[in-house]
Amino acid sequence: MAAMLMRILTLTLLLTLVGCGDDRPDKIAQFQQLAGQRIDTLGQMLNDGQIRNAMLLKQYTSILERQNPDMAPLFGELAKDATTKGPMYTSLVNRYQALGSASNYVDLDQQLAEAENVYYAADPSLYNDMISDPLNVVADMSNGALARVNSISREAAALANGADDFGTGSQLVGNPGYGNWQTGSNGMSFWAWYGMYSMFSNVMRGPIGYDRWSSRRNYSYYNDVGRARYTSPKQATAQNKTFERTKKQFSSQGKKFDSPYAKSRTGSTSLSRQSTSTPKASTTGTRSKSSSKFRSNYSKNSNFRNSNSRTTRGVRRGK
């Protein structure tokens, strides 16, 4: 009798486990498919001039290229953010393609969270807000002749946040699309620009050290609003390593060191609903705590199942 009861209990447990199968792989595949569709649509909108801040960025850089030909290579590089050739868009494509292999992630929770982030980051309204950073950099380089968007002035934001003014281009510091944190011979980290962006060194007030920037940085869309959506797990890991290394150095000197993202800066204006509902930047790079949060986002997003189904060969080729 006891043996029969044991067999019944075992069979019941097996049936329960089958009924509660892991649905994360299916959801990852769904988000991956729809993220690809959104990226394609976003690319088409960029090509057709339907992203407002991207169009302004093209206009702004064109004006300043003529006025300041010495800086034309830098303006040309910044103008790429208004196209599918810029670091923000190409990063989305690369992250989308990486979703095809589970080996790129710590576990299914991280892969699922990344699939969700790529899907939302490709939303045209959210992307339009993201482009406000390079757009405002160009506006600042016009000495007030061109208007900023989605943000108060750099000076007003610095005053409100008790921030240092690191110079024109500082909104892009910390964004892995434009540079990265490197460690100097003294063990401290400093910001190093990629390629043509190094021309910012000509208009900035000296090298930017991670320790000072962390406590005295000004507002930027990426660092204070969009980081959770526009940072890959690998990039987030690099950011966290820089923080932990610096924190350890400060601790050895008996000093406290806070993350640059521990406190959000103020300065945004007229952001889209999609931006105001994004996760806090401090959650970037962490695993999903449970699939219940994902289900909530999945079920409530009316656009998830009805996303535009247009695709382009560029994204599909990466599958």
Side-chain angles (χ1 to χ4, degrees):
M1 183 67 177
M4 183 178 293
L5 286 174
M6 182 61 68
R7 285 197 294 271
I8 292 174
L9 288 173
T10 301
L11 179 60
T12 301
L13 178 60
L14 288 173
L15 290 173
T16 300
L17 290 174
V18 171
C20 299
D22 192 344
D23 59 357
R24 288 175 297 176
D26 287 339
K27 290 181 176 178
I28 290 170
Q30 290 173 331
F31 260 121
Q32 183 182 11
Q33 178 186 4
L34 292 173
Q37 293 171 2
R38 265 198 172 178
I39 291 172
D40 292 339
T41 300
L42 175 62
Q44 191 62 52
M45 293 178 71
L46 285 169
N47 291 334
D48 293 344
Q50 297 178 7
I51 304 296
R52 179 179 180 273
N53 285 345
M55 288 304 297
L56 284 176
L57 181 57
K58 283 184 177 181
Q59 295 170 13
Y60 281 19
T61 52
S62 178
I63 292 171
L64 292 192
E65 278 181 342
R66 294 192 297 270
Q67 294 180 355
N68 191 352
D70 289 343
M71 299 293 286
L74 176 58
F75 292 129
E77 199 67 21
L78 290 169
K80 289 181 179 179
D81 268 319
T83 71
T84 57
K85 304 297 183 181
M88 292 295 95
Y89 185 85
T90 55
S91 175
L92 287 180
V93 173
N94 292 337
R95 290 169 64 191
Y96 160 77
Q97 293 173 349
L99 288 171
S101 176
S103 63
N104 291 323
Y105 308 94
V106 173
D107 53 25
L108 285 177
D109 282 339
Q110 187 184 65
Q111 186 180 9
L112 178 55
E114 172 67 349
E116 183 180 13
N117 279 332
V118 173
Y119 168 73
Y120 285 112
D123 181 281
S125 295
L126 202 68
Y127 193 86
N128 183 67
D129 289 341
M130 181 67 241
I131 299 301
S132 65
D133 275 347
L135 176 59
N136 287 333
V137 165
V138 179
D140 291 343
M141 295 178 79
S142 74
N143 295 319
L146 301 173
R148 273 186 159 215
V149 298
N150 302 126
S151 174
I152 60 178
S153 71
R154 194 174 79 203
E155 295 76 15
L159 183 62
N161 295 305
D164 287 346
D165 187 351
F166 293 100
T168 301
S170 57
Q171 299 99 309
L172 304 181
V173 173
N175 187 325
Y178 304 94
N180 62 6
W181 295 107
Q182 295 187 5
T183 304
S185 57
N186 61 353
M188 302 301 290
S189 298
F190 63 94
W191 184 251
W193 297 101
Y194 294 141
M196 202 61 69
Y197 301 119
S198 63
M199 291 186 71
F200 277 121
S201 300
N202 298 330
V203 294
M204 300 190 81
R205 299 180 174 91
I208 297 180
Y210 180 77
D211 53 342
R212 179 169 164 237
W213 177 82
S214 295
S215 60
R216 304 290 294 176
R217 70 175 181 83
N218 207 346
Y219 166 83
S220 75
Y221 179 84
Y222 171 80
N223 288 309
D224 294 296
V225 183
R227 193 173 73 97
R229 297 298 193 202
Y230 290 97
T231 308
S232 71
K234 186 176 293 186
Q235 291 168 340
T237 297
Q239 292 175 350
N240 292 336
K241 284 182 177 178
T242 300
F243 164 65
E244 292 296 340
R245 182 170 57 249
T246 308
K247 181 181 178 182
K248 184 176 180 180
Q249 290 176 325
F250 270 63
S251 180
S252 66
Q253 301 171 19
K255 300 177 182 179
K256 181 182 178 182
F257 182 78
D258 290 327
S259 165
Y261 310 109
K263 177 183 177 182
S264 293
R265 273 59 167 178
T266 61
S268 63
T269 62
S270 305
L271 293 181
S272 66
R273 176 180 56 82
Q274 288 85 340
S275 283
T276 56
S277 63
T278 55
K280 291 182 179 180
S282 59
T283 63
T284 302
T286 59
R287 301 184 192 180
S288 298
K289 292 184 179 180
S290 69
S291 59
S292 60
K293 178 181 178 182
F294 171 80
R295 291 193 185 98
S296 174
N297 289 338
Y298 172 78
S299 61
K300 291 181 181 179
N301 185 356
S302 60
N303 292 326
F304 188 90
R305 294 185 181 278
N306 299 315
S307 295
N308 192 311
S309 60
R310 280 188 294 176
T311 60
T312 64
R313 295 179 183 177
V315 173
R316 295 304 167 198
R317 193 175 293 148
K319 278 192 169 183

